[in-house]
Amino acid sequence: MTDSVERRFTQEFPRYYDLHVPEGDGPFPLVMAMHGYGGDKTSMMKLARRISDSRYAIAALQAPHQHVVYPEKRDEALRFAFGWATNYRFDESLALHRDAVDVIFRDAAQDPRIESDRAFFVAFSQAVAFNFRVAMTDPGRVRGMVGICGGVPGDLSSNEDYVRGDFDVLMIGGEQDEFYAPERMRSNCSALEPLVRSVELRMFDCGHVVPRDVHPVIDAWMAKR
């Protein structure tokens, strides 16, 4: 009996993002907003607009991998959410992310109201490290990086494709975060320091969530850049 052989083919795969452009002529700096595992573009757009929906054009990208979220109570309906990666062929998930970012930049370049040469990347949880992978290989596109309760690429110190970027990083952490504890957040920030212009860490009294009072902090940080 002969061994089976894996074969590969590609299909067109639709992706979705929500776009908000403030009223006026602009141009408005672009914010690339990415939700965490189990989120969606709608929830991330709400978060990003709470930072400021009058000064920035916001593109909230939805992750490609849909999954079922089972209800905690029997009478509740199933919920569907999205994630950025699968363990199988993880490199293909990274390629999907990079390609989606490229498409949004190209789309934004067609709108004279949007400053599309560089962007703020704002992400929660799983998407944070994905965005750093984009930033470290193409830093000229980055105006600033905001990572909320998220990490850095596991190959940060070993990937020869990563280069130093002339941009600032704001990391937001939760004192009770079970996934990204304060010690881990501080370690990640230290690992980032040689590769970027500056790193600032702000800790909040919360778990693995977007802190309720973080929006003005991010807004003030971005306004300086």
Side-chain angles (χ1 to χ4, degrees), residues 50-51 212-221:
R50 288 183 65 188
I51 295 170
R212 288 188 300 174
D213 49 353
V214 76
H215 306 91
V217 173
I218 298 174
D219 187 23
W221 185 89

Side-chain angles (χ1 to χ4, degrees), residues 9-216:
F9 65 94
T10 59
Q11 293 179 296
E12 185 176 4
F13 184 79
R15 296 291 302 277
Y16 301 93
Y17 71 95
D18 289 343
L19 178 67
H20 163 77
V21 182
E23 293 183 1
D25 297 330
F28 302 101
L30 178 62
V31 173
M32 303 279 279
M34 316 284 185
H35 62 81
Y37 179 82
D40 58 24
K41 59 185 177 62
T42 303
S43 62
M44 195 62 195
M45 178 60 80
K46 289 180 180 178
L47 184 156
R49 292 191 66 170
R50 288 183 65 188
I51 295 170
S52 176
D53 63 358
S54 62
R55 288 198 297 273
Y56 304 106
I58 303 167
L61 176 65
Q62 190 156 273
H65 303 292
Q66 188 181 48
H67 58 272
V68 175
V69 179
Y70 289 96
E72 295 182 2
K73 297 180 181 178
R74 181 169 297 182
D75 58 344
E76 293 178 342
L78 292 176
R79 185 171 68 85
F80 296 90
F82 299 85
W84 295 99
T86 62
N87 290 332
Y88 183 71
R89 305 287 189 184
F90 179 72
D91 58 323
E92 294 182 358
S93 294
L94 297 180
L96 278 175
H97 186 71
R98 184 177 302 281
D99 183 66
V101 170
D102 289 344
V103 170
I104 293 175
F105 268 101
R106 290 199 299 269
D107 286 354
Q110 305 305 310
D111 192 329
R113 299 172 298 167
I114 303 175
E115 291 184 13
S116 58
D117 56 333
R118 296 187 302 155
F120 289 107
F121 286 75
V122 179
F124 173 66
S125 191
Q126 188 187 41
V128 175
F130 272 70
N131 281 348
F132 275 122
R133 286 182 168 92
V134 172
M136 296 304 178
T137 53
D138 197 0
R141 285 184 163 184
V142 183
R143 188 182 296 267
M145 300 285 294
V146 179
I148 305 170
C149 295
V152 299
D155 60 353
L156 187 65
S157 61
S158 60
N159 192 324
E160 296 181 354
D161 292 332
Y162 295 157
V163 296
R164 189 182 187 280
D166 189 25
F167 58 84
D168 302 311
V169 175
L170 173 63
M171 296 293 276
I172 305 294
E175 296 284 359
Q176 288 82 47
D177 192 334
E178 64 270 37
F179 301 106
Y180 293 94
E183 312 84 61
R184 186 177 182 186
M185 293 295 294
R186 285 190 284 270
S187 176
N188 286 341
C189 288
S190 296
L192 285 170
E193 285 176 350
L195 294 170
V196 298
R197 186 166 55 205
S198 72
V199 182
E200 180 179 348
L201 174 62
R202 297 288 297 271
M203 299 299 298
F204 289 78
D205 185 17
C206 65
H208 191 68
V209 297
V210 177
R212 288 188 300 174
D213 49 353
V214 76
H215 306 91

